[in-house]
Short mmCIF file of all heavy atoms in Angstrom, two decimals:
data_model
loop_
_atom_site.label_atom_id
_atom_site.label_comp_id
_atom_site.label_asym_id
_atom_site.label_seq_id
_atom_site.Cartn_x
_atom_site.Cartn_y
_atom_site.Cartn_z
N MET A 77 14.64 -44.54 17.68
CA MET A 77 15.30 -43.44 18.44
C MET A 77 16.17 -44.21 19.54
O MET A 77 15.72 -45.09 20.25
CB MET A 77 14.27 -42.57 19.07
CG MET A 77 14.78 -41.41 19.87
SD MET A 77 13.53 -40.36 20.57
CE MET A 77 13.25 -39.32 19.22
N ALA A 78 17.35 -43.82 19.62
CA ALA A 78 18.28 -44.39 20.63
C ALA A 78 17.96 -43.92 22.05
O ALA A 78 17.51 -42.77 22.17
CB ALA A 78 19.69 -43.99 20.23
N LYS A 79 18.13 -44.81 22.99
CA LYS A 79 17.87 -44.44 24.34
C LYS A 79 19.03 -43.73 24.94
O LYS A 79 20.21 -44.23 24.78
CB LYS A 79 17.55 -45.77 25.08
CG LYS A 79 17.16 -45.60 26.60
CD LYS A 79 16.88 -46.85 27.27
CE LYS A 79 16.58 -46.65 28.75
NZ LYS A 79 16.21 -47.92 29.39
N LYS A 80 18.84 -42.63 25.64
CA LYS A 80 19.94 -41.98 26.23
C LYS A 80 20.39 -42.66 27.46
O LYS A 80 19.54 -43.10 28.32
CB LYS A 80 19.52 -40.50 26.54
CG LYS A 80 19.37 -39.58 25.49
CD LYS A 80 19.26 -38.18 25.97
CE LYS A 80 19.17 -37.22 24.80
NZ LYS A 80 18.91 -35.83 25.29
N GLU A 81 21.71 -42.79 27.58
CA GLU A 81 22.25 -43.39 28.85
C GLU A 81 22.25 -42.28 29.91
O GLU A 81 22.68 -41.17 29.71
CB GLU A 81 23.67 -43.90 28.65
CG GLU A 81 23.66 -45.21 27.87
CD GLU A 81 25.08 -45.77 27.77
OE1 GLU A 81 25.79 -45.69 28.81
OE2 GLU A 81 25.43 -46.30 26.75
N GLU A 82 21.87 -42.61 31.19
CA GLU A 82 21.94 -41.81 32.22
C GLU A 82 23.34 -41.80 32.78
O GLU A 82 23.94 -42.76 32.94
CB GLU A 82 20.93 -42.22 33.42
CG GLU A 82 19.54 -41.82 33.17
CD GLU A 82 18.74 -42.14 34.41
OE1 GLU A 82 19.11 -41.70 35.51
OE2 GLU A 82 17.75 -42.82 34.24
N GLU A 83 23.86 -40.49 33.00
CA GLU A 83 25.16 -40.50 33.57
C GLU A 83 25.01 -40.32 35.15
O GLU A 83 24.25 -39.52 35.56
CB GLU A 83 25.94 -39.30 32.94
CG GLU A 83 26.34 -39.47 31.62
CD GLU A 83 27.37 -38.50 31.13
OE1 GLU A 83 28.15 -37.99 31.91
OE2 GLU A 83 27.35 -38.19 29.87
N LEU A 84 25.83 -41.14 35.87
CA LEU A 84 25.74 -41.04 37.31
C LEU A 84 26.80 -40.22 37.77
O LEU A 84 27.90 -40.22 37.27
CB LEU A 84 25.74 -42.45 37.83
CG LEU A 84 24.73 -43.45 37.42
CD1 LEU A 84 25.11 -44.88 37.95
CD2 LEU A 84 23.43 -43.06 37.83
N ASP A 85 26.44 -39.49 38.88
CA ASP A 85 27.47 -38.59 39.48
C ASP A 85 28.47 -39.38 40.26
O ASP A 85 28.20 -40.61 40.56
CB ASP A 85 26.79 -37.54 40.32
CG ASP A 85 25.99 -38.05 41.47
OD1 ASP A 85 26.58 -38.88 42.29
OD2 ASP A 85 24.86 -37.72 41.51
N GLU A 86 29.57 -38.83 40.59
CA GLU A 86 30.65 -39.53 41.37
C GLU A 86 30.21 -40.09 42.64
O GLU A 86 30.63 -41.25 43.01
CB GLU A 86 31.86 -38.57 41.50
CG GLU A 86 32.62 -38.29 40.23
CD GLU A 86 33.76 -37.45 40.55
OE1 GLU A 86 34.39 -37.54 41.60
OE2 GLU A 86 34.14 -36.67 39.60
N GLU A 87 29.34 -39.40 43.39
CA GLU A 87 28.85 -39.84 44.65
C GLU A 87 28.01 -41.04 44.50
O GLU A 87 28.15 -42.10 45.23
CB GLU A 87 28.08 -38.70 45.33
CG GLU A 87 27.72 -38.98 46.78
CD GLU A 87 27.15 -37.69 47.39
OE1 GLU A 87 26.01 -37.30 46.91
OE2 GLU A 87 27.73 -37.21 48.33
N THR A 88 27.18 -41.13 43.52
CA THR A 88 26.33 -42.27 43.24
C THR A 88 27.17 -43.52 42.87
O THR A 88 26.96 -44.62 43.33
CB THR A 88 25.27 -41.97 42.18
OG1 THR A 88 24.47 -40.84 42.61
CG2 THR A 88 24.37 -43.14 41.88
N LEU A 89 28.07 -43.24 41.99
CA LEU A 89 29.01 -44.30 41.53
C LEU A 89 29.86 -44.87 42.78
O LEU A 89 29.94 -46.08 42.85
CB LEU A 89 30.03 -43.84 40.54
CG LEU A 89 29.37 -43.69 39.08
CD1 LEU A 89 30.41 -43.01 38.22
CD2 LEU A 89 28.92 -44.98 38.55
N ALA A 90 30.24 -43.98 43.66
CA ALA A 90 30.92 -44.38 44.88
C ALA A 90 30.10 -45.27 45.76
O ALA A 90 30.56 -46.25 46.26
CB ALA A 90 31.50 -43.19 45.64
N PHE A 91 28.83 -44.90 45.86
CA PHE A 91 27.86 -45.72 46.65
C PHE A 91 27.66 -47.08 46.00
O PHE A 91 27.61 -48.09 46.74
CB PHE A 91 26.53 -44.91 46.85
CG PHE A 91 25.49 -45.68 47.62
CD1 PHE A 91 25.81 -46.00 48.98
CD2 PHE A 91 24.38 -46.14 46.92
CE1 PHE A 91 24.78 -46.77 49.66
CE2 PHE A 91 23.41 -46.86 47.74
CZ PHE A 91 23.60 -47.18 49.06
N ILE A 92 27.46 -47.10 44.76
CA ILE A 92 27.28 -48.38 44.07
C ILE A 92 28.49 -49.25 44.26
O ILE A 92 28.26 -50.42 44.67
CB ILE A 92 27.03 -48.09 42.59
CG1 ILE A 92 25.59 -47.47 42.35
CG2 ILE A 92 27.08 -49.52 41.80
CD1 ILE A 92 25.38 -46.93 40.97
N HIS A 93 29.64 -48.81 44.15
CA HIS A 93 30.88 -49.61 44.33
C HIS A 93 31.02 -50.07 45.83
O HIS A 93 31.38 -51.14 46.11
CB HIS A 93 32.19 -48.80 43.89
CG HIS A 93 32.24 -48.65 42.43
ND1 HIS A 93 32.44 -49.77 41.51
CD2 HIS A 93 32.02 -47.65 41.63
CE1 HIS A 93 32.53 -49.33 40.32
NE2 HIS A 93 32.19 -48.02 40.30
N TRP A 94 30.53 -49.18 46.68
CA TRP A 94 30.60 -49.47 48.16
C TRP A 94 29.66 -50.65 48.37
O TRP A 94 30.02 -51.56 49.16
CB TRP A 94 30.20 -48.19 48.89
CG TRP A 94 30.25 -48.32 50.38
CD1 TRP A 94 31.28 -48.11 51.17
CD2 TRP A 94 29.14 -48.66 51.29
NE1 TRP A 94 30.97 -48.24 52.55
CE2 TRP A 94 29.63 -48.55 52.61
CE3 TRP A 94 27.74 -48.98 51.09
CZ2 TRP A 94 28.76 -48.83 53.71
CZ3 TRP A 94 26.95 -49.23 52.15
CH2 TRP A 94 27.51 -49.13 53.46
N CYS A 95 28.49 -50.56 47.78
CA CYS A 95 27.52 -51.69 47.86
C CYS A 95 27.99 -52.97 47.43
O CYS A 95 27.71 -54.04 47.97
CB CYS A 95 26.09 -51.25 47.30
SG CYS A 95 25.18 -50.08 48.27
N ILE A 96 28.77 -52.94 46.35
CA ILE A 96 29.32 -54.12 45.73
C ILE A 96 30.26 -54.75 46.75
O ILE A 96 30.32 -55.94 46.90
CB ILE A 96 29.87 -53.83 44.33
CG1 ILE A 96 28.85 -53.50 43.29
CG2 ILE A 96 30.77 -55.02 43.90
CD1 ILE A 96 29.39 -52.85 42.07
N GLU A 97 31.05 -53.90 47.32
CA GLU A 97 32.03 -54.47 48.42
C GLU A 97 31.22 -55.02 49.58
O GLU A 97 31.65 -56.07 50.05
CB GLU A 97 32.87 -53.31 48.86
CG GLU A 97 33.95 -52.99 47.76
CD GLU A 97 34.94 -51.89 48.25
OE1 GLU A 97 35.45 -52.23 49.35
OE2 GLU A 97 35.17 -50.93 47.61
N VAL A 98 30.19 -54.33 50.02
CA VAL A 98 29.35 -54.77 51.09
C VAL A 98 28.83 -56.28 50.74
O VAL A 98 28.85 -57.15 51.54
CB VAL A 98 28.19 -53.84 51.46
CG1 VAL A 98 27.17 -54.54 52.39
CG2 VAL A 98 28.70 -52.58 51.96
N GLU A 99 28.35 -56.34 49.52
CA GLU A 99 27.79 -57.57 49.01
C GLU A 99 28.80 -58.72 49.20
O GLU A 99 28.58 -59.82 49.62
CB GLU A 99 27.37 -57.50 47.62
CG GLU A 99 26.93 -58.77 46.94
CD GLU A 99 26.64 -58.74 45.39
OE1 GLU A 99 26.02 -57.65 45.02
OE2 GLU A 99 27.11 -59.52 44.71
N GLY A 100 30.08 -58.44 48.82
CA GLY A 100 31.11 -59.44 49.04
C GLY A 100 31.36 -59.87 50.42
O GLY A 100 31.53 -61.08 50.71
N PHE A 101 31.27 -59.02 51.43
CA PHE A 101 31.40 -59.29 52.77
C PHE A 101 30.25 -60.07 53.29
O PHE A 101 30.37 -60.90 54.17
CB PHE A 101 31.67 -58.01 53.57
CG PHE A 101 33.02 -57.50 53.45
CD1 PHE A 101 33.19 -56.24 52.83
CD2 PHE A 101 34.14 -58.08 54.02
CE1 PHE A 101 34.51 -55.67 52.67
CE2 PHE A 101 35.42 -57.61 53.79
CZ PHE A 101 35.63 -56.38 53.16
N LEU A 102 29.02 -59.76 52.73
CA LEU A 102 27.83 -60.49 53.15
C LEU A 102 27.90 -61.90 52.70
O LEU A 102 27.58 -62.86 53.43
CB LEU A 102 26.56 -59.83 52.67
CG LEU A 102 26.24 -58.44 53.25
CD1 LEU A 102 25.01 -57.83 52.51
CD2 LEU A 102 25.89 -58.58 54.72
N VAL A 103 28.43 -62.04 51.55
CA VAL A 103 28.55 -63.44 50.91
C VAL A 103 29.62 -64.20 51.71
O VAL A 103 29.49 -65.35 52.05
CB VAL A 103 28.98 -63.37 49.43
CG1 VAL A 103 29.34 -64.79 48.86
CG2 VAL A 103 27.74 -62.87 48.68
N ALA A 104 30.72 -63.48 52.13
CA ALA A 104 31.78 -64.11 52.90
C ALA A 104 31.24 -64.54 54.19
O ALA A 104 31.66 -65.51 54.88
CB ALA A 104 33.01 -63.19 53.03
N GLY A 105 30.25 -63.89 54.75
CA GLY A 105 29.64 -64.16 56.01
C GLY A 105 28.50 -65.21 55.93
O GLY A 105 27.90 -65.54 56.95
N GLY A 106 28.30 -65.76 54.75
CA GLY A 106 27.36 -66.94 54.64
C GLY A 106 26.14 -66.70 53.79
O GLY A 106 25.45 -67.62 53.56
N ALA A 107 25.95 -65.50 53.34
CA ALA A 107 24.73 -65.29 52.42
C ALA A 107 25.04 -65.72 51.05
O ALA A 107 26.20 -65.71 50.63
CB ALA A 107 24.38 -63.80 52.47
N THR A 108 24.04 -65.99 50.29
CA THR A 108 24.16 -66.23 48.88
C THR A 108 24.28 -64.91 48.23
O THR A 108 23.85 -63.83 48.83
CB THR A 108 23.08 -67.09 48.24
OG1 THR A 108 21.84 -66.24 48.29
CG2 THR A 108 22.85 -68.37 48.92
N VAL A 109 24.77 -64.83 46.96
CA VAL A 109 24.78 -63.51 46.24
C VAL A 109 23.42 -62.92 46.20
O VAL A 109 23.20 -61.80 46.41
CB VAL A 109 25.40 -63.67 44.82
CG1 VAL A 109 25.29 -62.49 43.97
CG2 VAL A 109 26.87 -64.15 44.92
N LYS A 110 22.33 -63.83 45.83
CA LYS A 110 21.02 -63.33 45.70
C LYS A 110 20.48 -62.79 47.03
O LYS A 110 19.91 -61.77 47.12
CB LYS A 110 20.08 -64.48 45.21
CG LYS A 110 18.57 -64.14 45.23
CD LYS A 110 18.11 -63.79 43.80
CE LYS A 110 16.68 -63.66 43.80
NZ LYS A 110 16.18 -62.38 44.02
N GLN A 111 20.78 -63.45 48.15
CA GLN A 111 20.40 -63.02 49.46
C GLN A 111 21.03 -61.60 49.80
O GLN A 111 20.32 -60.87 50.33
CB GLN A 111 20.72 -64.07 50.55
CG GLN A 111 19.90 -65.26 50.47
CD GLN A 111 20.37 -66.35 51.45
OE1 GLN A 111 21.55 -66.43 51.69
NE2 GLN A 111 19.54 -67.14 52.01
N ALA A 112 22.25 -61.55 49.46
CA ALA A 112 23.03 -60.30 49.75
C ALA A 112 22.39 -59.13 48.93
O ALA A 112 22.16 -58.07 49.49
CB ALA A 112 24.48 -60.53 49.49
N GLN A 113 22.22 -59.45 47.70
CA GLN A 113 21.69 -58.37 46.78
C GLN A 113 20.22 -58.02 47.27
O GLN A 113 19.91 -56.79 47.35
CB GLN A 113 21.61 -58.84 45.30
CG GLN A 113 22.99 -58.92 44.78
CD GLN A 113 23.00 -59.62 43.39
OE1 GLN A 113 22.02 -60.14 42.90
NE2 GLN A 113 24.15 -59.41 42.74
N ASP A 114 19.45 -58.96 47.58
CA ASP A 114 18.06 -58.64 48.10
C ASP A 114 18.06 -57.87 49.32
O ASP A 114 17.34 -56.96 49.52
CB ASP A 114 17.29 -59.97 48.27
CG ASP A 114 16.86 -60.64 46.93
OD1 ASP A 114 17.03 -60.06 45.82
OD2 ASP A 114 16.46 -61.85 47.04
N HIS A 115 19.04 -58.19 50.27
CA HIS A 115 19.00 -57.56 51.47
C HIS A 115 19.43 -56.06 51.35
O HIS A 115 18.85 -55.22 51.97
CB HIS A 115 20.00 -58.23 52.46
CG HIS A 115 20.07 -57.61 53.88
ND1 HIS A 115 19.05 -57.63 54.77
CD2 HIS A 115 21.13 -56.88 54.43
CE1 HIS A 115 19.44 -56.95 55.80
NE2 HIS A 115 20.62 -56.53 55.67
N ILE A 116 20.52 -55.84 50.49
CA ILE A 116 20.89 -54.47 50.18
C ILE A 116 19.74 -53.70 49.58
O ILE A 116 19.50 -52.57 49.96
CB ILE A 116 22.21 -54.49 49.37
CG1 ILE A 116 23.33 -55.03 50.09
CG2 ILE A 116 22.41 -53.11 48.83
CD1 ILE A 116 24.58 -55.31 49.30
N GLU A 117 19.06 -54.27 48.68
CA GLU A 117 17.93 -53.57 48.03
C GLU A 117 16.78 -53.28 49.00
O GLU A 117 16.25 -52.18 49.00
CB GLU A 117 17.32 -54.43 46.83
CG GLU A 117 18.18 -54.38 45.65
CD GLU A 117 17.61 -55.33 44.53
OE1 GLU A 117 16.51 -55.52 44.51
OE2 GLU A 117 18.48 -55.76 43.69
N GLU A 118 16.44 -54.18 49.86
CA GLU A 118 15.44 -54.08 50.84
C GLU A 118 15.78 -52.99 51.93
O GLU A 118 14.91 -52.25 52.46
CB GLU A 118 15.02 -55.33 51.50
CG GLU A 118 14.35 -56.41 50.57
CD GLU A 118 14.35 -57.80 51.11
OE1 GLU A 118 14.77 -58.02 52.27
OE2 GLU A 118 13.94 -58.70 50.39
N GLN A 119 17.02 -52.92 52.13
CA GLN A 119 17.53 -52.04 53.32
C GLN A 119 18.37 -50.88 52.79
O GLN A 119 19.28 -50.44 53.42
CB GLN A 119 18.32 -52.79 54.29
CG GLN A 119 17.61 -54.04 54.93
CD GLN A 119 16.37 -53.48 55.75
OE1 GLN A 119 16.48 -52.44 56.43
NE2 GLN A 119 15.31 -54.18 55.79
N VAL A 120 18.05 -50.44 51.47
CA VAL A 120 18.91 -49.49 50.86
C VAL A 120 19.00 -48.17 51.67
O VAL A 120 20.09 -47.52 51.72
CB VAL A 120 18.45 -49.25 49.47
CG1 VAL A 120 17.15 -48.43 49.32
CG2 VAL A 120 19.60 -48.45 48.60
N GLU A 121 17.95 -47.75 52.32
CA GLU A 121 18.03 -46.50 53.13
C GLU A 121 19.02 -46.69 54.29
O GLU A 121 19.79 -45.71 54.60
CB GLU A 121 16.70 -46.12 53.63
CG GLU A 121 15.78 -45.60 52.51
CD GLU A 121 14.40 -45.18 52.97
OE1 GLU A 121 14.21 -45.03 54.28
OE2 GLU A 121 13.50 -45.12 52.14
N TRP A 122 18.98 -47.81 54.97
CA TRP A 122 19.90 -48.08 56.08
C TRP A 122 21.37 -48.10 55.53
O TRP A 122 22.30 -47.47 56.19
CB TRP A 122 19.53 -49.44 56.76
CG TRP A 122 20.37 -49.72 57.90
CD1 TRP A 122 20.21 -49.30 59.15
CD2 TRP A 122 21.64 -50.55 57.98
NE1 TRP A 122 21.21 -49.78 60.06
CE2 TRP A 122 22.05 -50.50 59.25
CE3 TRP A 122 22.34 -51.15 57.01
CZ2 TRP A 122 23.16 -51.13 59.66
CZ3 TRP A 122 23.49 -51.90 57.43
CH2 TRP A 122 23.86 -51.89 58.64
N PHE A 123 21.55 -48.81 54.43
CA PHE A 123 22.91 -48.87 53.92
C PHE A 123 23.40 -47.48 53.36
O PHE A 123 24.54 -47.12 53.51
CB PHE A 123 23.00 -49.86 52.71
CG PHE A 123 23.08 -51.28 53.19
CD1 PHE A 123 22.02 -52.16 53.16
CD2 PHE A 123 24.23 -51.78 53.71
CE1 PHE A 123 22.10 -53.46 53.65
CE2 PHE A 123 24.37 -53.04 54.24
CZ PHE A 123 23.30 -53.92 54.23
N THR A 124 22.47 -46.64 52.91
CA THR A 124 22.80 -45.40 52.43
C THR A 124 23.36 -44.55 53.74
O THR A 124 24.34 -43.78 53.66
CB THR A 124 21.65 -44.59 51.81
OG1 THR A 124 21.27 -45.42 50.63
CG2 THR A 124 22.02 -43.19 51.30
N ASP A 125 22.59 -44.64 54.82
CA ASP A 125 23.00 -43.95 56.01
C ASP A 125 24.34 -44.43 56.48
O ASP A 125 25.23 -43.66 56.87
CB ASP A 125 22.04 -44.25 57.13
CG ASP A 125 20.68 -43.55 56.97
OD1 ASP A 125 20.60 -42.56 56.12
OD2 ASP A 125 19.74 -43.83 57.65
N GLN A 126 24.64 -45.80 56.36
CA GLN A 126 25.95 -46.29 56.79
C GLN A 126 27.07 -45.71 55.84
O GLN A 126 28.10 -45.44 56.38
CB GLN A 126 25.93 -47.86 56.78
CG GLN A 126 24.89 -48.52 57.57
CD GLN A 126 24.74 -47.88 59.00
OE1 GLN A 126 25.68 -47.84 59.78
NE2 GLN A 126 23.57 -47.38 59.27
N PHE A 127 26.81 -45.64 54.56
CA PHE A 127 27.69 -45.07 53.64
C PHE A 127 28.08 -43.66 54.07
O PHE A 127 29.29 -43.25 54.12
CB PHE A 127 27.13 -45.13 52.25
CG PHE A 127 27.96 -44.43 51.19
CD1 PHE A 127 29.12 -45.03 50.63
CD2 PHE A 127 27.57 -43.25 50.69
CE1 PHE A 127 29.87 -44.42 49.64
CE2 PHE A 127 28.35 -42.61 49.66
CZ PHE A 127 29.50 -43.24 49.18
N TYR A 128 27.14 -42.83 54.23
CA TYR A 128 27.31 -41.43 54.53
C TYR A 128 27.84 -41.24 55.96
O TYR A 128 28.47 -40.19 56.29
CB TYR A 128 25.98 -40.58 54.37
CG TYR A 128 25.80 -40.34 52.82
CD1 TYR A 128 24.68 -41.08 52.20
CD2 TYR A 128 26.60 -39.55 52.17
CE1 TYR A 128 24.50 -40.80 50.84
CE2 TYR A 128 26.43 -39.36 50.73
CZ TYR A 128 25.34 -40.00 50.17
OH TYR A 128 25.09 -39.77 48.81
N ASP A 129 27.61 -42.20 56.87
CA ASP A 129 28.26 -42.14 58.18
C ASP A 129 29.74 -42.51 58.20
O ASP A 129 30.43 -42.44 59.15
CB ASP A 129 27.48 -43.01 59.20
CG ASP A 129 26.16 -42.39 59.57
OD1 ASP A 129 25.90 -41.27 59.23
OD2 ASP A 129 25.30 -43.20 60.15
N GLY A 130 30.16 -42.94 56.99
CA GLY A 130 31.60 -43.30 56.84
C GLY A 130 32.03 -44.70 57.25
O GLY A 130 33.20 -44.95 57.39
N LEU A 131 31.03 -45.64 57.35
CA LEU A 131 31.44 -46.97 57.62
C LEU A 131 32.06 -47.58 56.40
O LEU A 131 31.71 -47.27 55.27
CB LEU A 131 30.19 -47.80 58.06
CG LEU A 131 29.83 -47.95 59.50
CD1 LEU A 131 29.41 -46.61 59.98
CD2 LEU A 131 28.82 -48.95 59.72
N THR A 132 32.92 -48.53 56.72
CA THR A 132 33.66 -49.31 55.56
C THR A 132 32.64 -50.34 55.08
O THR A 132 31.68 -50.61 55.98
CB THR A 132 34.98 -49.94 55.98
OG1 THR A 132 34.62 -50.95 57.00
CG2 THR A 132 35.94 -48.91 56.54
N PRO A 133 32.78 -50.84 53.96
CA PRO A 133 31.93 -51.95 53.51
C PRO A 133 31.85 -53.12 54.52
O PRO A 133 30.83 -53.69 54.79
CB PRO A 133 32.45 -52.38 52.20
CG PRO A 133 32.96 -51.10 51.61
CD PRO A 133 33.66 -50.45 52.89
N GLU A 134 33.04 -53.39 55.08
CA GLU A 134 33.20 -54.53 55.95
C GLU A 134 32.41 -54.24 57.26
O GLU A 134 31.74 -55.07 57.80
CB GLU A 134 34.72 -54.78 56.35
CG GLU A 134 34.82 -56.03 57.18
CD GLU A 134 36.28 -56.33 57.50
OE1 GLU A 134 37.10 -55.50 57.25
OE2 GLU A 134 36.51 -57.48 57.97
N GLN A 135 32.53 -52.97 57.73
CA GLN A 135 31.82 -52.60 59.05
C GLN A 135 30.30 -52.66 58.76
O GLN A 135 29.51 -53.15 59.58
CB GLN A 135 32.24 -51.25 59.44
CG GLN A 135 33.66 -51.07 59.94
CD GLN A 135 34.08 -49.57 60.13
OE1 GLN A 135 33.67 -48.81 59.36
NE2 GLN A 135 34.79 -49.37 61.19
N ALA A 136 29.83 -52.15 57.60
CA ALA A 136 28.42 -52.15 57.35
C ALA A 136 27.83 -53.60 57.24
O ALA A 136 26.84 -53.95 57.74
CB ALA A 136 28.13 -51.44 56.07
N ALA A 137 28.69 -54.49 56.67
CA ALA A 137 28.23 -55.92 56.48
C ALA A 137 28.16 -56.60 57.84
O ALA A 137 27.23 -57.26 58.09
CB ALA A 137 29.22 -56.65 55.53
N LYS A 138 29.17 -56.29 58.70
CA LYS A 138 29.18 -56.81 60.05
C LYS A 138 27.94 -56.31 60.83
O LYS A 138 27.30 -57.16 61.47
CB LYS A 138 30.37 -56.50 60.79
CG LYS A 138 31.59 -57.25 60.37
CD LYS A 138 32.84 -56.94 61.24
CE LYS A 138 34.01 -57.70 60.73
NZ LYS A 138 35.26 -57.39 61.48
N GLU A 139 27.55 -55.07 60.63
CA GLU A 139 26.35 -54.53 61.33
C GLU A 139 25.17 -55.23 60.73
O GLU A 139 24.22 -55.54 61.57
CB GLU A 139 26.23 -53.05 61.10
CG GLU A 139 27.27 -52.25 61.86
CD GLU A 139 27.00 -52.15 63.38
OE1 GLU A 139 25.83 -52.15 63.77
OE2 GLU A 139 27.95 -52.17 64.16
N ALA A 140 25.15 -55.45 59.54
CA ALA A 140 23.91 -56.08 58.87
C ALA A 140 23.76 -57.47 59.27
O ALA A 140 22.66 -58.05 59.42
CB ALA A 140 24.05 -55.97 57.35
N LEU A 141 24.86 -58.20 59.60
CA LEU A 141 24.84 -59.58 59.94
C LEU A 141 24.63 -59.82 61.44
O LEU A 141 24.43 -60.94 61.90
CB LEU A 141 26.13 -60.29 59.46
CG LEU A 141 26.37 -60.48 58.00
CD1 LEU A 141 27.76 -60.89 57.72
CD2 LEU A 141 25.28 -61.37 57.39
N ALA A 142 24.78 -58.72 62.21
CA ALA A 142 24.60 -58.78 63.63
C ALA A 142 23.19 -59.00 64.13
O ALA A 142 22.23 -58.72 63.46
CB ALA A 142 25.13 -57.57 64.32
#
């Protein structure tokens, strides 16, 4: 039996792409890709709030690195 693919809504996709951009800024700030990904996963609620508060990925990364 084939596994059904979950379809993500536009908002979820936008958040995922936003997180990918944040990851890039975290890496540019000195984190490894693994460290950046782990941090985003560990602090996903905080990053979700930043996303909905309208911060840009760069602003969120700066806040995370502060």
Side-chain angles (χ1 to χ4, degrees):
M77 184 179 273
K79 183 178 178 181
K80 285 188 177 181
E81 286 188 36
E82 282 188 49
E83 288 193 31
L84 301 175
D85 60 55
E86 287 183 30
E87 190 172 62
T88 301
L89 286 173
F91 177 65
I92 291 168
H93 289 289
W94 184 88
C95 286
I96 291 168
E97 289 185 50
V98 169
E99 177 187 312
F101 286 110
L102 292 174
V103 170
T108 66
V109 172
K110 174 100 170 92
Q111 288 170 329
Q113 290 172 349
D114 288 348
H115 183 66
I116 292 168
E117 286 179 23
E118 291 167 4
Q119 301 295 323
V120 71
E121 289 180 18
W122 185 85
F123 281 104
T124 301
D125 290 343
Q126 305 315 300
F127 173 77
Y128 285 110
D129 285 346
L131 267 67
T132 66
E134 183 175 17
Q135 291 169 324
K138 283 182 181 179
E139 289 288 323
L141 293 170

